[in-house]
Structures are given as C-alpha cells and as structure tokens.
C-alpha cells in the first residue's frame, strides 16, 4: 500500500527501505533535503514539503511520523492536521509518551483524522532483522494499516514456536501486535524500555563483579583474572541468561574487553523515566527498574551535593575526613 | 573417557545420559538404589556404594559429585577423599560457594587429589540443549577432563558467530570455558545466577506494570487490557529484550496468562545471596542484583515487623490508621 | 491579626486554636457545622458558609484552606476566588502538589488575588509543639502574614543553637521560613516527606533485623532475643540515630513491643510519590527515597503478578515448585 | 572502680577522661607513649607496656580495648589472654564483628577469662554528651562492670520520658543496655550503624533534590533557589524529620552551604557492610540499608566497568554515543 513518511534518520530511512523492498509505495519528506534525496536510488519517492507529501498521496492517506519525541513530533503532527482530510491517518512511530498519544487522538477526532501509535524496537538492526512493533489504534484503522506492519515485522523467522501457544491470531508470532486503543502501543513500548534498562543493569553489575575479582585487594587465592569476552560467549550457549543483549555484550567484549572506549556516563531517554512515573502512579513496586535508572543518573555526575553532605555529616559526628577517590 | 558420577537427581541423571550417548563410560551411584537402577537401561553402570564406585574405575579416576551444595556435597567429598588415590580427581558440579572450593582443594592437595569446580547452567533442559559450563581447575586437570566438558556442552549450534571474535581457542563458542583456578568456575556461575535474578525481576516488574494497567483505579482512557501472552510473544521477535527467559515467560503465559497456578512466594538459592555478599565484600554497587534478591525475601513474608513499625510511627506522628490490605 | 480558616480536621482545628491563644482573631468554616460549632468555646468565630466567612473578614482578607489536597482544596479555592476581592489572599496549608500552586497563583493573579502555599509539619502534636512551616509566597504577601506564622511556629524553644549559624534573619530558628516564590513552600514540604519515608524505612529495616535475630533458623549462639523497647530507648540518649521518629518508635514499643496491633499494610500519600517524580524529572538518583516508597507499595499487596511470574520462570527453567509462605 | 584501657585515640582518650572525672581509677596504655603521657595531667595512670598495665591492676582485672576492629584488636586480645588470670575480663569497645566476639569468648572461656563487647555510639561528642552503649556479656560480668557503663552513659538528661514506658529497669533511660549474651552488644551497634547509613542517605538525597531545584534546565517558574541552611534549621523545630543528624546538617550548612570543602567520595566502615550481610543471611529485605551502602561505593568510583558496559550495549543496539559528563 501507499505511505508517506516524515523523518529519515536512523530509524525512518530503514523503515522506508524495508517497506519499498516489500512492494509498498513510499513517499518521504525530511527537513534535510539531501537525506531524502539519498533514498531516491532505493525507490523511495521524495516530497519537497509536508504539503507536497500530503498532496502526493491518495485518500485515505497514511503518514508515518518518525521524529524525536516531544516538540519535533508535536509540531509536525499539528502541521499535518491542517493539511490532511477526514479519513486520513497519522502514525507516530517515535518514542512518544502514551498520554500524549491519547491527548492527540482526542484533538484529531473532531477533524475526522485517525491517530495510531507504534512502539518500535529493533534499533539499527531493524532493516535486516525486521522491527518488533506494538500498535495502539482503533480496530478499523489498525486493519487498514496492517499490511505495513506485516512487511516491517521480522516474521516467523526460525525461532522455535512457543509451547502451548494457542492464540486466536498469529500476529505476535510474526512480530507485531495490536496492543489496544490509542496509547497502548507506546505504553507497551515504554515498559519494554523500562525492562531493557533493568536487564542491561543486571548484566553490567554482574560483569563489574567479575572484572573486580582481579583486584589486588582480595586474598590472592580469591583473585580471578577472568576472560570476560569468553564468559559472555559461553553464556550465549545454553545458559539461563542468554539474550540478545548478551549477544551484544559478547560482541562489544570481543573487540574491546576492557571497554576503554567508553566514558561510563550513561544517557537515558524518556521511556525509562516514564516507566518509573507509571509505577509511582499505579502504586507498583519496581525497585529494579528504578534503580537501573538511578544508576544512569549517578553515572553522569561527580561529587554530588548528596555525597558531599554525607561527608559533612561524617565529619560532624566522627571527625572523619574522606580519603581521595579511587 | 571414564567417569564416576554421584547423585542422579534432575541434573546428575541427565549429565550421565548425555555422556553415555557421546560414547563415554559412566558408572553411577545414588543413595536411592532405585534411581541408579533406572539408568541401567540407558547404558549407565551402577555401583552399590561409594567404595564400589571408586573401585570400579581405572586410575587416575575422575568422579563427578552432583549433589545439593553444603552438607551433602561436603560429606561425600570427605568420604571420597578417604577412598581415592593420588592423581585422582573430584569434580563438584553442584552449586557450591567458591570459597568452599578453594578450601577443599587446599585440603585435598596433600593427599595428591585434584579438585575441579564446574558451574553448570541449563537446568532441566540440559539433556537436549547441552550444558553451559564454567570450570575452575588447574591446567593439567582441566586438560585431562576436557573431553567430558566437550560432550556435555551444547556445541556451536546454529547461533550466529559473535562479530569481531578473535579468541585463541573456541571452547567458549562450544559452550564451556576454563574460567581459571579452583573456585573460578563456581564464582562465574554464582555471578551468572545473580544476573539471572536481576533479569527475572526486570521482566516481572515490567509485566506487573502491564497487568496493572487494566486497573479500574485509572482514568478510563488510560486503562489497557493488554494481552500479555501476545506481548511476550511479540518481544521474542526482533526486540531488544528478547532472551531465553522471555521465551520461558511466553511459554508460561501461553498456557496460563493470569498465572493463577503460582502463589507468588519466590524462593532463592545460595548464589543470589553470595553474589550480594561478594558485592559488599568488594565494594561494588549492585542495586539491581540486591533488590531482586530482596524482592524475593519480601515475597515470602506478610505483615513484617518492619512494616508494622512503619504503621506504628505513622500512628504516632499523624494519628494515621491503615486501611485494610488490597 | 484576622484570619479565616476553612477545614477543621486534625490540623485545621488546632491551627485555629493556637492562633486564638496567641491573640489572633479567627473565623472558621467547616462543611460539618458541628465541628465548627465545637470550636466556639475556644473563642473561634463560626461562619455558616464560605460566603459568610468572606463577608465576616475585613479587607484585605486572608483565608487559610486546610483541606485534603486535590479536589476538596481545588474546589474550595475556586469558590473563594469568586467571593474574594483584589488584594485578598488565599493560603493553602494542605499537602498540595507544588506545580498546582504555581498554576493556581497564575490563575488568581488577573483577579488581583494573592496565593500562598504553606507546607506544615507537626501532625497531631502541633498544638503543643507548634508547627514547622515552609512558606512559598511573594515577598509583600509573606510580610503581611508573618505574624500568623510566628504564632503558629514552635519558637526558639530550648534547642541548642546551631554552631556557626550566622543567618540574616532568625525565622528559621523560630520554626518557619519564607522558602521562595509560590510553590517553594510545598516543594520543600514535599521533599521533607520524601526524606521522612526514607528515615522511617531505615529504622523499620533495622528493627526487623534485630527482631529476626531471635529466629530458631540461626545457630544458637548467634540468636539474640533483644528487648527492642530498650534498644529504641537507649538510642535516644547520645547515639547518632536519635531523632523524633526514634522517640515515637520508643513510645510505640514501650506499649506494644511486638506491634501486634498493626496490619503491616502501610499507606503512602502524594508527597512521597511526587518526590520520586521530581527525582526522575530532575535526573537525581534517589534510591533510598524510591525504595522506601516501593516498600510501602509492596506492603499492601500479596501474591503480585510480578512474583507469580518469577515462580513461573523458575518452574520453566528448573522445574522448581515454590514452598508455601512463611 | 578500677579499669585498664588500651588505645587512646579519639574514643579511648575521652572514655578514660570521662571515667576519671566520675571517680574511677584508670590506667592507660597506648603504642604511642606520648599519647598516653598526655593524659597524665587528667589524672589517668600510664603503663609502659601491656604487661605493665596488667600488673598494675588488682584482680579480678578489667581491661577495655579501644582499638580499630580487626587485626589491631585481635592481636591485643591475644596478647592480653596470655597476661591475664582466671576471673579477669577483657572488654572490646571497638567496632568488632559480632561473630568474632562469639568466637573469642569461646576461645577465652577455657582460660577462665570473661569477654564483653560494648557497642559505643557518640563519636567525638561522647566526652560531653556521654556515650550510648549496648553491651553483650554474661550476667555476672555485666553486673560487675555496670558502674563503668553508668559513668560513661549520658544519664537521664533533660529528655522527655517516653510515654507508656514501664520497663523493669531504667538502664536504657540512662543510656546503656545489657543487650544480651556476648555478641549482642556489637550486633545492636552494627544495626545502629546500618540504620545511620540509611538515615544519612535519606537526608542527602532530599537535600540534593532541593539544591538541584535551582537548575536552569527547569522551567523558570519551577526553579527555586532555596536557602538550605535555613531549611535544615527550620526542620529542627517541630518537624517530623528532626534528629541529631539533622542538627549536624544544619551546622555543616551554616558554615558552608555549598559544601565545597568535601570531595563527595564517601567512606564506609565494616558495620554498614555487615548489616547487609546479616540481612542476606537472615533473608530480610533491606533495600534502604543496602542502597545507602551502594551509594557510598559508587561515590568513590568513576567510569566503572559496569557503566562502560551499559554504554557499549547502547552503542550495540542503537548506535548511541554518550555525551560528555556533566
């Protein structure tokens, strides 16, 4: 089918390519004209403006917005809302906060515009592996767009089928789901990323514990100089902790076992934060998800006021003066 | 090669079977004679006593102890030490604390006995999938036993090779490593299990956040009745959080999406605890591993003294009386 | 000076009493007429309606709203805004979210109405001990109302003066501060309560560790049957952990050392949650404040989905079946 | 009564002074002869050696060891054990691990020597305020030494009596307790310090949240430039979070509100770690105590392997490159 796509960064460009490969017709727009131009050789149409993009599509139109969440996405959707016609659909494939989806869908409804939120996982690997998608949409809208999701998804692949699975439809097994009404797609993706933080932190703490085991502070017979690239590799095979993140760990350690390329200041994105906010709002205990987030916060700061205050108290009650940093 | 094996539970029996299938000669002993008898049809020899087991093997002997960690393993190794001869090797394949391995190896050394610790992951799936093994041993001892590990390990399988991997030997890619001297095998396995707790808790918290999203306490448009079996299934395909534990989650939810079979009182074993002890000993911050453990502790208790004290303080400063449990 | 007060619950009634004792003129209104009537003997005026309350005061009026945060406070302030005149002031002494204060002040500004937020700590003890207050307000408004805060605050008392203190004014030493512009009072109070959760949880965990030390699971010589009422009492004298919360703990344990009166389902209020939200918003690592909150969440639930999923995974990979709860 | 004291550091010297002031006879020994000499003017006797110290006392002797826990204390007790006679008593007033107390008492028993563990809180303020003490000892030994504890303790002071207190003896109200058999004193002190870590971290996180509120990253109307010295001061008066640690905080902030003197690398001592070990051993959930400890660990390290691994994974799945540190 036909799709307009806006935003041709790491994700948007590959989504366009994967759709065209599967026979869909794609017209793309990007603020940076050169970026859009570069896709022409891949068979992707190129519009000079938002208005031109909308005009180039047949009604009922579908336009996929693949921009950074927040202001860039919001402004683009506002502009599209002015250009599109009743029956058209705007798809937000970025990392939008699910309550913003709900708000937008309500605002677009009086204009007869449909809104769809697609949570997309797969990162830079999606072109090859396919994208795992969680979609929030009204039923009819989802049904109309389903061919797109089917093309973008990884498909059955060679994964072993889940024992006991007896589901009414096999979309999930092909790599996409209709999670629920508007907002549900990004909600599931948000939790996905919250889990991702927790998983990553679990590996990180464990590998730190293996790396530190070579420390000269330990008794000699308890010191182990472990080959962490080998550990990551062996765990890929038959262990309980095998995962795609472990595959990536094995890959990183194969090339640079000491990880000297990295500063250790770890960024976080909205989804990890929103997950904790959701936990607080719903009264759900999520110590692992929250502490994984807090560890990232701490990784980016030195000598915080909090820690200086601890030292000040220690000096106050015990006259303790801290030794220098390790 | 030839191996004696002691303890034919869930793990030991399958280890024996997998070795015999690959052409090794195995003699087994179990306190429960019937258990050992049952393996005879699989081609596994059967000894009536520890002494008979040792006698039935050619020197230098190798005996694999596959018993619960602690007293059962300790007593068996003590007994074996009396029966075996210089040059023989005792293998502890259970979940022993790595400092106990180091202590034992030192105690056996004057008798000329070798000691090997094998951390084994793979659980009930090992017979089919193979066992992922981390071995702590002196070099010569490891070399002599390597054919056993090679048979037990999963082998290359059809996993994609790790990009950039350029390792001197490919044991890790076949599913076992010589982690280091005695104790290193169980240390790596201990951290493996610590990570496992963290990974499991991350999924658990995330799925709780999706399950609770159907709560009538939430505004109606923010309530989602998510199909969690589908969510787990779709994440298996191309998402960042795909893993074997997710495969198991998908399987559990396919059969029983509400998980009503389970009480929610979650056990823990020594390794999760020792991992936190190691973190404390080495001064490594492991909030995720520790909080995953604490969540299990809390899951097994109701109305703790700690919580009652919180209520008592709240009553003390604010006259607050708690509402009943949810 | 003259003050109207709305809401005569645990806090509001005592605030009115303390003001009248100190020579102020107070007119009170409560939805429940009987409650207001009961204060007449204490010299507190009684209005039959919001409108009557406003009418009974001389311009420029000051009205203190002391109601549950959220809807009750919001609706009352909306009603007052219709009744009051330019130059008048609305004081919110409840536990309002500081962003709501900022929003309201902006909405009231075009009407010439002033808004003040007062974070108040002291609970049921305030009538005797005085209230500790953190005020957010424009300078001129704060100055006009200061006599009220001065009367409500504990005053210098017999506390030792803080060494090295060299502050431009001594309000803080008398028990109230002008924290900053509108919102700042409730922000500081919010963080105060966040800290309170952390402090309480620290004591709770510690006392649990002392109570559990009598467990028959421990080796006999490591089992201690500690008198926890005595421990709390002794720590009040000269120890680093002495505090008012410890005083309350000592009091609770003096009467009921086993705390059998309490269910252990611990409530939480908005401020503990907002503190974690603020930490997430500002990228500040607050593991103790967040985990104290999560412990309360967990205290109110049994057999969560999260924990059942952990058991399901454990069954999946290891065939483990959980033992019954303790 | 008569007491020998070994170790005249920050604690030992003041203990000796406080005892002499109250009429006891004290003979002191310190490795550094000058330190001991300096106390002569305060009326404290001075021994040239351990042997001389023991000889100078009348049987049954009591010697208080006030040295760093671990090797220094252990070696001194071993030496004393050779010098002392049946019926004599060794008191360990340092921060010894309670299981070491139990082990030592057992080792000394065949020689007829008594062992007492005294957990002591009060730090550099003890000379003035008195020491809060938790004692582990056999009943007869405790009774014999009680006059010493009574002199060292703060006494009733001017604290309000705990309502409802109806205890058989009032030792706790004078500032010392007989916690239980050997080990119980240091166990209670260990938990005391674990709680102390949690309390300190709660304040530290809260003050960080108030300090960061001035950040230019926040919307202007939500930015507050709070006077934290005033906040600490006002909370001392009538608030729920008032405590001695808050007094110290107020004092530190009065002199240096930005805390620029401190590096923010926060040390920890054995007791915080042992508390977490005890929690793990007893299966008690202590997220606040453990995370307070972990925050200190993290404060002392930069660019940990754990954090570098997180960045490596982020690069692996998303091509993310971290921005520089804040």
């Amino acid at each position: 089918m036909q799709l307009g796509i806006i935003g041709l960064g790491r994700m948007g460009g590959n989504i366009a390519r994967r759709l065209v490969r599967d026979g869909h017709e794609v017209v793309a727009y990007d603020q940076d004209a050169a970026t859009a131009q570069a896709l022409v050789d891949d068979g992707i149409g190129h519009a000079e403006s938002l208005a031109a993009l909308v005009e180039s599509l047949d009604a009922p139109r579908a336009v996929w917005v693949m921009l950074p969440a927040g202001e860039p996405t919001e402004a683009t959707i506002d502009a599209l809302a002015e250009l599109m016609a009743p029956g058209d659909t705007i798809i937000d494939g970025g990392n939008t906060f699910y309550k913003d989806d709900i708000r937008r869908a309500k605002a677009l409804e009086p204009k007869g515009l449909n809104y769809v939120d697609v949570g997309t996982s797969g990162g830079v690997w999606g072109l090859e592996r396919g994208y795992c998608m969680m979609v929030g949409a009204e039923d009819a809208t989802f049904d109309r767009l389903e061919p797109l999701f089917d093309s973008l998804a990884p498909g059955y692949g060679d994964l072993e089928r889940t024992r006991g699975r007896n589901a009414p439809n096999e979309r999930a097994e092909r790599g996409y789901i209709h999670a629920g009404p508007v907002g549900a797609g990004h909600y599931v993706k948000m939790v996905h990323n919250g889990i991702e933080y927790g998983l990553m932190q679990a590996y990180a703490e464990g590998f730190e514990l293996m790396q530190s085991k070579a420390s000269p502070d330990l008794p000699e017979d308890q010191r182990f100089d472990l080959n962490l690239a080998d550990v990551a590799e062996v765990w890929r095979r038959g262990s309980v902790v095998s995962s795609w993140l472990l595959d990536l760990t094995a890959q990183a350690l194969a090339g640079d076992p000491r990880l000297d390329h990295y500063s250790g200041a770890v960024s976080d994105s909205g989804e990890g934060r929103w997950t904790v906010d959701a936990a607080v709002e719903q009264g759900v205990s999520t110590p692992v998800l929250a502490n994984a987030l807090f560890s990232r916060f701490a990784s980016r700061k030195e000598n915080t006021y909090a820690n200086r205050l601890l030292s000040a108290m220690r000096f106050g009650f015990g006259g303790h003066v801290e030794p220098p940093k390790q």
Side-chain angles (χ1 to χ4, degrees), chain A residues 28-93:
Chain A
Y29 167 74
D30 193 279
Q31 267 195 307
D32 175 15
T35 307
Q37 194 60 44
L39 295 181
V40 168
D41 290 347
D42 292 321
I44 295 161
H46 171 206
E48 296 284 344
S49 66
L50 276 191
L53 181 88
V54 171
E55 258 176 60
S56 71
L57 301 171
D58 306 322
R61 298 170 190 85
V63 174
W64 184 300
V65 181
M66 198 74 215
L67 293 169
E71 186 46 30
T73 296
E74 190 81 17
T76 301
I77 289 175
D78 287 348
L80 281 174
E82 298 301 312
L83 298 166
M84 295 176 82
D88 289 354
T89 298
I90 298 173
I91 304 160
D92 181 356

Side-chain angles (χ1 to χ4, degrees), chain A residues 82-145:
Chain A
E82 298 301 312
L83 298 166
M84 295 176 82
D88 289 354
T89 298
I90 298 173
I91 304 160
D92 181 356
N95 284 326
T96 291
F97 184 45
Y98 75 99
K99 292 186 185 176
D100 288 331
D101 293 318
I102 295 170
R103 172 180 52 76
R104 286 182 196 155
K106 276 190 191 143
L108 294 173
E109 201 179 20
K111 303 187 178 184
L113 296 175
N114 304 301
Y115 182 91
V116 175
D117 54 291
V118 184
T120 313
S121 184
V124 294
W125 301 74
L127 180 60
E128 291 171 43
R129 302 208 315 171
Y131 296 92
C132 174
M133 282 164 299
M134 304 130 245
V135 183
E138 293 307 306
D139 288 353
T141 315
F142 177 84
D143 291 347
R144 197 162 57 245
L145 300 174

Side-chain angles (χ1 to χ4, degrees), chain A residues 108-255:
Chain A
L108 294 173
E109 201 179 20
K111 303 187 178 184
L113 296 175
N114 304 301
Y115 182 91
V116 175
D117 54 291
V118 184
T120 313
S121 184
V124 294
W125 301 74
L127 180 60
E128 291 171 43
R129 302 208 315 171
Y131 296 92
C132 174
M133 282 164 299
M134 304 130 245
V135 183
E138 293 307 306
D139 288 353
T141 315
F142 177 84
D143 291 347
R144 197 162 57 245
L145 300 174
E146 186 161 6
L148 297 173
F149 304 131
D150 209 12
S151 295
L152 287 171
Y156 292 103
D158 51 7
L159 270 188
E160 202 177 345
R161 205 175 184 228
T162 295
R163 298 190 195 182
R165 188 160 168 88
N166 187 17
N169 76 62
E170 78 295 32
R171 282 173 198 144
E173 297 183 67
R174 280 183 282 138
Y176 65 99
I177 56 170
H178 181 194
V182 169
H186 277 146
Y187 185 81
V188 172
K189 177 58 176 12
M190 177 194 84
V191 175
H192 168 280
N193 284 30
I195 292 172
E196 175 191 306
Y197 281 38
L199 302 179
M200 289 171 72
Q201 182 69 18
Y203 288 116
E205 293 178 5
F207 277 85
E208 172 98 30
L209 272 178
M210 293 191 289
Q211 188 254 6
S212 66
K213 198 60 188 171
S215 163
D217 293 346
L218 294 169
E220 204 171 340
D221 61 2
Q222 292 178 25
R223 241 180 269 163
F224 303 129
D225 189 13
L226 302 164
N227 180 326
L228 298 188
D230 272 6
V231 170
E233 186 63 38
V234 79
W235 285 353
R236 296 180 67 212
R237 286 178 165 76
S239 99
V240 172
V241 302
S242 62
S243 71
W244 192 53
L245 284 165
L246 181 68
D247 293 349
L248 295 175
T249 298
Q251 200 170 298
L253 296 179

